[in-house]
Amino acid sequence: MPNRLAHETSPYLLQHADNPVDWWPWSDQAFEEARRSGKPVLLSVGYSSCHWCHVMAHESFEDEVTAAYLNEHFVNVKVDREERPDVDAVYMEAVQAATGQGGWPMTVFLTPDAEPFYFGTYFPPAPRHGMPSFRQVLEGVQQAWTGRRDEVDEIAGKIVRDLAGREISYGDSRAPGEEELAGALLGLTREYDPVRGGFGGAPKFPPSMVVEFLLRHHARTGSEGALQMAADTCERMARGGIYDQLGGGFSRYSVDREWTVPHFEKMLYDNALLCRVYAHLWRSTGSDLARRVALETADFMVGELRTAEGGFASALDADSDDGTGKHVEGAYYVWTPQQLREVLGEDAELAARYFGVTEEGTFEEGASVLQLPQQDGVFDAEKVAGVRARLLAARAERPAPGRDDKVVAAWNGLAIAALAETGAYFDRPDLVEAAVCAADLLVRLHLDEHAQLARTSKDGQAGANAGVLEDYADVAEGFLALASVTGEGVWLEFAGFLLDHVLTRFVDEESGALFDTAVDAERLIRRPQDPTDNAAPSGWSAAANALLSYAAQTGSEPHRSAAERALGVVKALGPRVPRFIGWGLAAAEARLDGPREIAVVGPSLDDPATRTLHRTALLGTAPGAVVAVGAPDSDELPLLAGRPLVGGEPAAYVCRNFTCDAPTTDPERLREALSG
C-alpha cells in the first residue's frame, strides 16, 4: 500500500511512495505525531539522482524487516533536498559540525521538537568498512531514546545552542578592492593543479564560478595567469570523461584528479553554469573548443532536460539498466572495445584511439569512459563525425537514465541566462527562444500575484514550498540576461520585483547580511545563512551580482548599496577560501569595473547596423557589463533615456562610474571600449 508520499509532487519522494516504511513528508503533522506517540523522528534527506540514496533505499527502506522496525519505533520523515534546501542546509550544518563531513543520503535523528541528536549519511545493511549497520544504528538510537532520554535531550539542546552561536564573519560593509581580489587570485594559484587543471584533488568538481571570476579578472587586469588557469581547466574538463563526448553536457564531478571517471548524474545547474562559462571563454579567446562545448551543452539542456511546459528538468540519474535488469551507475555511457566493434565494425579501432577506449578500461569491468586524450596523429573530421553519430544512435537504444522532471526556479534562472547569452553570441535564436519559454513558465507558474516565488513545479503544477534566496537571485539573473539579449523591458521589470523581495525579506537591515530564507518563511531550529558557493552560486553571492546588475540597468542606489554591503563578506572570505566564493569574487570584479553600462539605440532590432552594435556590446569582455537595446528614449529600459541616434545612425553609449564616453556608431570603436 502506498504511504503518505504518494500525494507529493517531488520525483524523489514519489520514488519512496511504495516503500514499506510509513514515510511522512516534512510537515507539522509529522512532528505532532512524534509528540503524540513519544517517538523520535528519523529524518532522511536525499534527491532523485543520488546514487547512494538509491542504494540505501534498496538495501534498507525496501526491506520489510527494517521497515517494520522503523515504523514501530520512529516517525519517519523523507525530504527532497532540492525542494527544501532550507531543511537540508540546517541539518547538514549540524552533521558537518558533529562529524566533519556530510553528504547524501543524510540520516538525522530528531526530537519531536525537530532538534537533532544523532547524525550520519549512508548506513549499510550489515557492518562494513568500520561503519555500523543501519539496524545497529536504529537499535542504538532507540535504546538511548528509551533508556537515557535526559541525556538525549541535553545533547539535542546543546547542538541547537551551538548552531545558534555559529556566526559568519561578514567582514565590513565595504566591498573587496584590488588587494583582496589579488589575494584571492594568489590563493587559487596555490591550489591550482597545473598538470590536470582545476583545483584540489579527488574528487574534482567543475569550478564554473571560479572560472567566471578568473575570466573577469583577466578582462579587468590583463592577468595572463588568470586566463591560463581558466582556459586550461576548461580544456581538461572538455577532453575528459566528465564531459559527455557523444551527447554533450557535463556530469556532476570526477571521482579522480584527471577528470576521467565521473559521477554520472547530470544536473541542470552544472550544465547551465558551464554552458555560460564556456561561452564566456570563447568570448575572451575565440577558442573553437569552447564554442563547441558551449553549444553542445546548450543543445543537451534543450534536447534532454526541457519539459513539456517549457521549463528545464532538474537532473538525469547516474544509474540506468545495464541490459540485464540491474541498475548500474554509468551503464548508459561507457563502452568496451567489443561494443565498439559491434556498432562500428572496421571503424572500431579508430574510435578506440580517438576516445581512449582500451581493453583494460578506465571504469569498471573493462569498460571505458569516452574521452579525447591528447595524442599525436590527425583524425579525419568527417569520419570522426560519422563515428560519433553512429555511437550516439546506438547508445540511444540502451535503457536511458531516469529524469527528475521537477522544475527548480533557481536552476531554471541559471539556464535562462546561459541559453540567452549563448544564443545571442552564436546566432542561435532557437536557444534564445528556449530561454524565453522557460522565463514565461516561471512567470506564469512560479510567481504569484505578489511576485513571490514557488521553489518548484512539476507537470504544470506549482509546488507548495516557498522560494529561497537563490531562487529570487538566480531567476533575477536570468531575467536580466534576457533583458540584455532581447531588449524587452518586461524582463527587467520582473527582475526588479524579485530583487525588491530580496531587499525587504532576505536582507538584515542592520548588517546588510543575507539569509537563505525569507523573514516570513517557516521557522526551523536555525535560519539558514551561507555565503559560500557549493554546487551552484550561494544565494548570497547570486543576490549581490543580480542587485549590482539591476542597479547598473536602472540607476537604483538602494540596490547598488545592498550589493556592496553584501560583498563585504567576499572581502573577508575571498583571500582565505577563494574556491568557495567564486561567484562573489566575480561580482566584486564587476563592481570594480563599474560595471559598465552600454546603451544601444537604433530604429529597430531588425536593423542590421543596430544588431551589429548590439552583438558587439554583448560580446564585450568588461566584467559584468549590462546592455540595453531599443529605440531612442524608449521608456522600457532606463539606460535608453536621453540617448538619441547620432547623425541619424544607430549608436552605442558606454558609461561607468558616472562618466560616459562619447557615443559611437562604429562597432570596432565599441569593441575597443569594452575590452580594456
Side-chain angles (χ1 to χ4, degrees), residues 509-560:
E509 292 185 6
E510 183 176 339
S511 68
L514 290 151
F515 289 94
D516 291 328
T517 54
V519 67
D520 53 353
E522 177 186 349
R523 295 187 67 84
L524 303 174
I525 60 169
R526 172 177 168 83
R527 191 177 179 191
Q529 181 184 51
D530 187 357
T532 58
D533 299 325
N534 197 295
S538 69
W540 189 313
S541 292
N545 197 71
L547 287 164
L548 190 67
S549 296
Y550 183 79
Q553 281 276 13
T554 63
S556 169
E557 181 54 35
H559 291 80
R560 172 87 183 193

Side-chain angles (χ1 to χ4, degrees), residues 291 295 421-430 432 611 615:
R291 180 184 190 278
L295 285 169
E421 292 183 355
T422 303
Y425 295 170
F426 302 120
D427 195 23
R428 285 281 304 274
D430 59 310
V432 178
R611 291 181 63 183
R615 186 168 186 273

Side-chain angles (χ1 to χ4, degrees), residues 490-512:
V490 65
W491 301 118
L492 180 63
E493 185 177 7
F494 279 126
F497 293 154
L498 296 174
L499 294 173
D500 285 345
H501 279 294
V502 171
L503 295 182
T504 57
R505 298 172 61 225
F506 292 88
V507 176
D508 182 275
E509 292 185 6
E510 183 176 339
S511 68

Side-chain angles (χ1 to χ4, degrees), residues 11-30:
Y12 176 64
L13 298 188
L14 291 172
Q15 287 173 357
H16 294 269
D18 291 315
N19 289 170
V21 177
D22 186 18
W23 290 114
W24 294 71
W26 179 274
S27 60
D28 290 341
Q29 291 80 2

Side-chain angles (χ1 to χ4, degrees), residues 92-116:
M92 184 60 74
E93 184 178 12
V95 172
Q96 291 174 330
T99 68
Q101 59 186 8
W104 300 276
M106 177 169 60
T107 307
V108 186
F109 295 91
L110 313 176
T111 71
D113 292 324
E115 296 180 339

Side-chain angles (χ1 to χ4, degrees), residues 606-630:
D606 294 327
D607 171 64
T610 305
R611 291 181 63 183
T612 298
L613 284 173
H614 181 215
R615 186 168 186 273
T616 301
L618 292 172
L619 291 176
T621 57
V626 301
V627 178
V629 60

Side-chain angles (χ1 to χ4, degrees), residues 5-352:
L5 303 185
H7 303 293
E8 296 296 307
T9 58
S10 158
Y12 176 64
L13 298 188
L14 291 172
Q15 287 173 357
H16 294 269
D18 291 315
N19 289 170
V21 177
D22 186 18
W23 290 114
W24 294 71
W26 179 274
S27 60
D28 290 341
Q29 291 80 2
F31 290 95
E32 288 170 4
E33 173 61 17
R35 282 188 284 271
R36 186 198 66 77
S37 63
K39 296 178 182 179
V41 173
L42 166 70
L43 172 65
S44 176
V45 183
Y47 57 103
S48 71
S49 56
C50 166
H51 172 71
W52 287 103
C53 299
H54 295 321
V55 172
M56 189 168 177
H58 178 68
E59 293 173 341
S60 297
F61 302 141
E62 295 171 12
D63 178 70
E64 295 283 352
V65 175
T66 302
Y69 191 88
L70 284 166
N71 295 340
E72 180 180 357
H73 297 291
F74 298 90
V75 172
N76 306 293
V77 175
K78 178 64 76 171
V79 167
D80 182 343
R81 66 174 295 262
E82 296 172 350
E83 282 203 335
R84 291 301 303 263
D86 52 340
V87 173
D88 177 64
V90 165
Y91 293 104
M92 184 60 74
E93 184 178 12
V95 172
Q96 291 174 330
T99 68
Q101 59 186 8
W104 300 276
M106 177 169 60
T107 307
V108 186
F109 295 91
L110 313 176
T111 71
D113 292 324
E115 296 180 339
F117 63 89
Y118 190 77
F119 320 92
T121 52
Y122 164 78
F123 290 108
R128 186 187 304 160
H129 307 303
M131 289 189 293
S133 72
F134 188 44
R135 182 59 178 263
Q136 287 173 327
V137 170
L138 295 178
E139 291 175 348
V141 169
Q142 170 61 15
Q143 289 167 9
W145 183 256
T146 57
R148 304 193 306 276
R149 180 64 183 274
D150 289 345
E151 181 182 339
V152 168
D153 288 340
E154 182 180 348
I155 290 170
K158 182 178 186 303
I159 290 170
V160 171
R161 290 192 298 274
D162 287 348
L163 289 175
R166 291 166 66 90
E167 294 184 358
I168 296 170
S169 174
Y170 301 121
D172 53 38
S173 60
R174 294 172 297 169
E178 294 277 0
E179 181 179 351
E180 289 83 14
L181 295 180
L185 180 63
L186 180 61
L188 289 171
T189 302
R190 289 172 178 152
E191 296 188 70
Y192 180 65
D193 184 339
V195 176
R196 307 164 191 86
F199 302 87
K204 215 171 214 177
F205 291 82
S208 52
M209 294 156 277
V210 167
V211 172
E212 182 66 29
F213 160 62
L214 293 172
L215 291 174
R216 290 188 181 189
H217 189 78
H218 164 72
R220 185 179 62 82
T221 68
S223 168
E224 290 301 322
L227 181 62
Q228 196 69 47
M229 284 192 287
D232 286 354
T233 294
C234 286
E235 179 173 358
R236 295 292 185 180
M237 289 192 298
R239 298 180 71 87
I242 193 174
Y243 184 68
D244 183 348
Q245 303 296 342
L246 295 183
F250 289 85
S251 296
R252 174 76 278 268
Y253 61 85
S254 173
V255 302
D256 55 81
R257 299 183 64 177
E258 289 77 19
W259 307 107
T260 300
V261 178
H263 181 44
F264 288 92
E265 62 184 344
K266 287 182 172 180
M267 308 301 297
L268 175 60
Y269 52 75
D270 281 322
N271 284 283
L273 290 164
L274 288 163
C275 174
R276 198 178 189 192
V277 157
Y278 276 88
H280 289 175
L281 177 62
W282 171 82
R283 185 174 65 176
S284 296
T285 66
S287 162
D288 288 337
L289 176 66
R291 180 184 190 278
R292 175 175 67 79
V293 172
L295 285 169
E296 288 178 355
T297 305
D299 286 335
F300 159 73
M301 287 192 287
V302 174
E304 299 294 328
L305 296 179
R306 197 175 189 191
T307 69
E309 296 76 28
F312 292 94
S314 297
L316 297 181
D317 269 4
D319 302 0
S320 59
D321 191 324
D322 65 355
T324 69
K326 182 181 178 182
H327 269 63
V328 176
E329 183 175 5
Y332 187 70
Y333 299 101
V334 299
W335 295 82
T336 63
Q338 178 58 32
Q339 289 171 327
L340 293 183
R341 288 190 287 269
E342 290 170 0
V343 174
L344 301 173
E346 63 183 15
D347 290 331
E349 184 180 346
L350 178 148

